[in-house]
Amino acid sequence: ASKQAMGMVLGRISEEMPAHTVLARASTYEVRRYARSVVAECSYGAGGWGGGDDGSPFGALARYIGVFGKPQNDKEKIAMTAPVLVTPEPIAMTAPVLVSPGAEGQATHTMAFVLPASKYSSIADAPKPLDPRVTLRQLPERMQAVRTFSWNFRPEAAKKNLDILLDDLAKDGCWAVERGADGQPRWQAAGYNPPFALPFMKRNEVLVDVQPNPNCPKAEE
């Protein structure tokens, strides 16, 4: 147990991670195709991600899978996976979202755990949450450009790295960024490590939904 704890402090990730295939690599990012997966979600408070009154959705999700003892679901304890996902989306979207900034500056957000795909391939397979704040959602297969960064998993760092990733994608011209009805890119932030891991050993990512650009300059070389 002590070796496992030390590994976590040093940034070692032993949890199951979402299945994906790497489609392309650039110097500052890579493009992945993710398989379908099921997520458990819980809303933040009015303060949103990083706000002082964020409502601590991590605790509700951890209790759902049974981190603190008896799981708050109708079946069984669920293995923890990595990463934890945060996804900004317009509040008007019909489907639940991972993290969602609300209208008129009201930051209504959600956090999500990805359930182990080795055991749960659909919402019907997954244990039903007993806490009404926790909901289940099926994520479709998706293509995402990914930039990795270290140190603490905070909204300011995620936004900074998102801007860098979007700039790099625009310069390369080979991947078209998918955008919502509000014109904003569809993106997620992913944190892989517990808070007590050494900051410079942590693995964090920003992921942007993309599609291949048929006018990629490199295709013409």
Side-chain angles (χ1 to χ4, degrees):
S2 60
K3 289 184 178 180
Q4 182 179 14
M6 181 56 69
M8 294 172 70
V9 169
L10 296 175
R12 181 173 178 270
I13 302 165
S14 58
E15 296 86 0
E16 179 178 335
M17 291 184 281
H20 67 270
T21 302
V22 177
L23 302 179
R25 285 190 173 93
S27 60
T28 59
Y29 67 89
E30 66 182 24
V31 177
R32 304 172 187 165
R33 185 187 300 279
Y34 280 93
R36 283 164 42 98
S37 56
V38 179
V39 296
E41 303 176 312
C42 182
S43 294
Y44 282 86
W49 183 29
D53 56 346
D54 65 13
S56 300
F58 185 91
L61 293 170
R63 285 187 289 274
Y64 162 67
I65 68 174
V67 169
F68 306 125
K70 183 179 179 181
Q72 291 187 359
N73 65 60
D74 66 348
K75 286 185 181 179
E76 60 199 353
K77 191 168 184 175
I78 304 169
M80 183 68 183
T81 63
V84 173
L85 295 177
V86 175
T87 309
E89 291 279 4
I91 196 69
M93 294 288 287
T94 55
V97 294
L98 299 177
V99 165
S100 176
E104 299 180 0
Q106 296 299 314
T108 302
H109 298 152
T110 60
M111 174 183 282
F113 286 3
V114 182
L115 302 190
S118 58
K119 192 167 187 179
Y120 309 111
S121 59
S122 69
I123 291 176
D125 297 332
K128 181 180 178 181
L130 300 181
D131 186 336
R133 296 175 298 169
V134 178
T135 58
L136 302 177
R137 185 161 69 97
Q138 183 92 48
L139 293 184
E141 182 180 278
R142 56 211 181 275
M143 194 180 304
Q144 295 179 304
V146 184
R147 175 181 171 84
T148 302
F149 62 101
S150 59
W151 295 87
N152 289 327
F153 184 57
R154 292 178 177 164
E156 298 81 7
K159 185 62 169 64
K160 177 181 177 181
N161 281 276
L162 170 66
D163 291 341
I164 295 172
L165 176 58
L166 291 173
D167 187 55
D168 289 343
L169 290 170
K171 288 177 180 176
D172 288 352
C174 290
W175 302 94
V177 174
E178 293 192 351
R179 298 178 182 272
D182 62 350
Q184 295 300 309
R186 294 177 178 169
W187 69 285
Q188 296 176 319
Y192 286 80
N193 307 100
F196 55 79
L198 293 173
F200 58 89
M201 299 294 289
K202 289 182 178 180
R203 174 183 170 184
N204 309 305
E205 294 174 342
V206 285
L207 308 91
V208 176
D209 289 5
V210 296
Q211 289 295 328
N213 182 358
N215 299 316
C216 172
K218 295 178 182 178
E220 300 173 0
E221 295 178 357

